[in-house]
Amino acid sequence: RWLERAYLVLSFLAHAAVWGESPPLTTLPATVAAPWCAVAARLGRRPILTCTHASGRARTHDWHAAPRRAMHP
């Protein structure tokens, strides 16, 4: 659980470091890149932030469940 949280926080820090500058950075600072890559490797992932991971659904989503229907009022 802590590795998942570290992955998420480091992912957001990495994207903020790149896109928070004008113009955007072309390289990631080592102070963010090294721990992000290390945590990603321990989780068996690449250091990329996806919508699934950002929303927290990567860990909790049941990919084999039937699709839910939209709720209508």
Side-chain angles (χ1 to χ4, degrees):
R1 178 177 169 171
W2 288 106
L3 283 175
E4 291 282 345
R5 180 64 58 167
Y7 181 84
L8 181 64
V9 170
L10 289 165
S11 297
F12 278 111
L13 287 173
H15 284 264
V18 170
W19 296 106
E21 297 292 325
S22 182
L25 298 179
T26 57
T27 59
L28 194 58
T31 53
V32 177
W36 191 23
C37 289
V39 170
R42 287 189 61 188
L43 290 170
R45 297 186 191 148
R46 290 182 278 168
I48 298 171
L49 180 64
T50 65
C51 292
T52 301
H53 291 116
S55 68
R57 295 184 69 199
R59 188 169 39 87
T60 60
H61 185 69
D62 181 1
W63 297 102
H64 301 288
R68 288 189 254 170
R69 289 200 272 157
M71 295 178 65
H72 298 286

